[in-house]
């Protein structure tokens, strides 16, 4: 497992009984997590002193309960990156801290590249953490997400991290249709990042079911890789889509045509109270032969 252990502004303090106790700078949040199926004692003192807690409803959804005065939004920093976060619907904050391992990974790929410009396509790009990380290393990025609100948030994150003047295109569109148009336009990318949702709708009502759509989409995505590509990074939080399944998909759709190899593993967060690691999804990474050798 690859563990995001370099955070200072975020900390997973404890997790038990289906919930996580987290510190986001000074704010203490309790949020549900389906991976937390154990029932150890709540020994950390801050279980009793949260700033806010997200309570799930038996009928679906849920809402936040606030116990202290909190800012409507605030910032967290990871190394030289700055992100705006807030308590939002369905338990989220606008940032997945375990993804820091992938930000570091793709930054290192860009840094090690000898080419003058690395072209990155970030699909299902959400609030743009990976976009900001790539811009920090001087890459050019096409950021695609179906939500205008999330794309505006990503622009705010780029500004907070000082890369708003970077070489970036902000695209609000259905990712599948966008890639299909890029094929017709013969646009190519050196690195492609994908973090597709389990289920979603495009801006015109397009429906996405990950298990049903992912393989065919990866066949399409391979066609926008450059002639000398670097990597494809595929992330998933869908329980039924393991790291091994994603590796198989990348090997079948990309490695067979392009060579190179695929590595895959869970990603996770260290738990302060217990010293354990909470698994938080999985990532599969295809690397071209040159970069795999490096």
């Amino acid at each position: 497992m690859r563990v995001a252990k370099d955070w200072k502004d975020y900390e997973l303090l404890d997790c038990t009984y289906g919930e996580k106790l987290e510190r986001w700078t000074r704010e203490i949040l309790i949020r549900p997590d389906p991976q937390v199926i154990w029932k150890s004692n709540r020994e950390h003192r801050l279980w009793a002193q949260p700033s806010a807690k997200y309570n799930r409803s038996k009928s679906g959804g849920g809402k936040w309960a606030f116990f202290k005065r909190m800012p409507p939004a605030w910032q967290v920093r990871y190394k030289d990156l700055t992100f705006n976060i807030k308590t939002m619907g369905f338990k989220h904050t606008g940032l997945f801290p375990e993804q820091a391992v992938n930000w570091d990974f793709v930054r290192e790929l860009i840094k090690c590249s000898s080419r003058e410009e690395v072209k990155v396509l970030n699909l299902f790009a959400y609030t743009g953490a990976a976009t900001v990380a790539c811009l920090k290393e001087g890459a050019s990025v096409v950021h695609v997400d179906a939500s205008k609100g999330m794309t505006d948030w990503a622009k705010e994150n780029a500004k907070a991290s000082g890369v708003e003047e970077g070489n970036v295109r902000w695209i609000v569109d259905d990712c599948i249709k966008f890639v299909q148009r890029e094929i017709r336009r013969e646009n190519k990318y050196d690195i492609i990042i994908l973090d597709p949702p389990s289920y979603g709708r495009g801006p015109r009502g397009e429906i996405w079911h990950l298990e049903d759509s992912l393989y065919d989409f990866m066949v399409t995505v391979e066609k926008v890789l450059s002639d000398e590509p670097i990597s494809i990074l595929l992330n998933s939080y869908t329980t039924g889509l393991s790291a091994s399944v994603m590796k198989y998909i990348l090997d079948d759709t990309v490695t067979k045509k392009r060579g190179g190899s695929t590595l895959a593993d869970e990603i996770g967060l260290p738990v302060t109270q217990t010293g354990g690691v909470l698994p938080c999804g999985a990532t599969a990474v295809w690397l071209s032969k040159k970069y795999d050798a490096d």
Side-chain angles (χ1 to χ4, degrees):
M1 184 184 296
R2 295 187 298 134
V3 181
K5 59 183 182 298
D6 294 333
W7 277 98
K8 292 183 172 59
D9 277 6
Y10 172 85
E11 184 180 7
L12 178 53
L13 299 168
D14 197 8
C15 50
T16 188
Y17 281 92
E19 294 180 323
K20 297 184 293 190
L21 177 69
E22 304 169 295
R23 177 181 63 81
W24 297 79
T25 60
R26 293 186 298 273
E27 306 300 336
I28 305 300
L29 303 183
I30 297 175
R31 297 192 294 158
D33 191 304
Q35 295 279 11
V36 183
I37 63 173
W38 46 89
K39 299 177 181 180
S40 50
N41 293 331
R42 288 189 171 98
E43 296 181 353
H44 200 290
R45 62 181 179 82
L46 290 177
W47 281 110
Q49 302 173 47
S51 305
K53 178 181 178 181
Y54 188 87
N55 295 304
R56 277 248 171 88
S57 169
K58 292 182 180 178
S59 58
K63 63 180 181 180
W64 287 94
F66 296 92
F67 304 101
K68 299 178 181 178
R69 184 183 294 275
M70 285 180 59
W74 69 102
Q75 293 184 331
V76 297
R77 293 174 177 81
Y78 178 76
K79 298 181 178 179
D80 57 349
L81 307 178
T82 301
F83 304 109
N84 300 284
I85 64 169
K86 60 185 176 183
T87 52
M88 54 189 291
F90 197 64
K91 76 177 181 180
H92 293 305
T93 63
L95 190 70
F96 294 89
E98 63 274 6
Q99 287 294 326
V101 294
N102 289 331
W103 309 334
D104 289 343
F105 185 86
V106 76
R107 288 185 71 169
E108 191 63 27
L109 287 176
I110 296 167
K111 191 182 301 184
C112 291
S113 171
S114 58
R115 62 194 69 185
E116 185 174 332
E117 180 186 49
V118 175
K119 295 182 178 180
V120 178
L121 175 60
N122 188 11
L123 299 168
F124 310 97
Y126 196 48
T127 58
T131 294
V132 170
C134 293
L135 289 172
K136 270 291 186 183
E137 296 302 330
S140 66
V141 183
V142 175
H143 170 112
V144 188
D145 195 273
S147 168
K148 183 180 184 303
M150 293 300 104
T151 304
D152 289 342
W153 193 336
K155 293 177 183 178
E156 294 172 4
N157 284 336
K159 184 176 181 180
S161 290
V163 291
E164 71 272 24
E165 300 299 326
N167 189 356
V168 58
R169 290 174 58 209
W170 306 102
I171 308 292
V172 178
D173 201 352
D174 174 73
C175 289
I176 296 175
K177 291 185 176 180
F178 177 80
V179 173
Q180 290 169 342
R181 286 197 298 274
E182 290 293 87
I183 293 171
R184 293 193 293 270
R185 291 187 285 241
E186 298 185 352
N187 287 332
K188 306 286 186 178
Y189 299 90
D190 305 310
I191 296 175
I192 302 175
I193 301 168
L194 308 94
D195 194 356
S198 300
Y199 173 86
R201 287 184 178 270
R204 296 176 182 84
E206 303 89 345
I207 296 176
W208 166 273
H209 288 284
L210 184 59
E211 293 95 332
D212 298 335
S213 306
L214 182 59
Y215 181 87
D216 290 340
F217 187 46
M218 292 311 305
V219 171
T220 305
V221 165
E222 184 274 331
K223 296 175 183 176
V224 295
L225 276 175
S226 65
D227 293 337
E228 296 183 2
I230 296 174
S231 181
I232 294 179
L233 190 151
L234 173 63
N235 190 77
S236 175
Y237 291 97
T238 302
T239 304
L241 200 65
S242 68
S244 297
V245 169
M246 291 194 295
K247 180 183 186 304
Y248 198 106
I249 290 173
L250 286 181
D251 280 340
D252 201 53
T253 59
V254 184
T255 309
K256 281 184 178 179
K257 290 187 175 182
R258 303 281 187 150
S261 63
T262 302
L263 56 94
D265 206 347
E266 290 181 303
I267 58 175
L269 291 165
V271 183
T272 301
Q273 180 68 27
T274 64
V277 177
L278 176 67
C280 303
T283 301
V285 180
W286 172 81
L287 289 167
S288 67
K289 186 174 181 179
K290 177 182 184 303
Y291 287 85
D292 184 28
D294 293 345

